[in-house]
């Protein structure tokens, strides 16, 4: 199983934001954004920061891919 952040990337497009904007607004490192770009696992703290920065819920930004 892996993580799928396609909803997050679509939300950024809808909000006319770039990944660097999200990184700055949520206080994330570029390594975290890169990890998410590859479908990697990130901490719940990172997901919480993103949800707060984008004023959204967890299910608006991530899905678990089942094998």
């Amino acid at each position: 199983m892996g993580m799928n952040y396609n909803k997050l990337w679509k939300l950024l497009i809808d909000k006319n934001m770039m990944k660097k904007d999200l990184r700055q607004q949520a206080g994330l490192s570029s390594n975290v954004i890169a990890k998410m770009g590859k479908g990697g696992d990130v901490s719940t703290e990172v997901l919480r920061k993103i949800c707060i920065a984008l004023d959204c819920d967890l299910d608006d930004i991530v899905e678990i891919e089942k094998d």
Side-chain angles (χ1 to χ4, degrees):
M1 283 195 274
M3 302 301 281
N4 181 325
Y5 300 101
N6 288 341
K7 286 183 171 184
L8 171 60
W9 310 137
K10 169 115 176 52
L11 185 60
L12 289 180
I13 291 168
D14 292 345
K15 291 183 176 269
N16 199 27
M17 292 177 68
M18 298 179 71
K19 290 180 183 179
K20 69 175 185 167
D21 300 324
L22 174 64
R23 185 177 61 79
Q24 292 171 347
Q25 193 169 341
L28 305 173
S29 71
S30 54
N31 290 341
V32 167
I33 299 294
K35 193 176 208 180
M36 292 174 73
K38 296 176 183 175
D41 293 333
V42 295
S43 71
T44 54
E45 180 181 355
V46 166
L47 297 175
R48 180 182 54 81
K49 286 179 178 182
I50 292 171
C51 287
I52 290 169
L54 298 178
D55 190 29
C56 65
D57 293 322
L58 189 57
D59 63 342
D60 294 329
I61 62 171
V62 66
E63 290 180 316
I64 297 173
E65 290 185 333
K66 298 176 183 163
D67 295 332

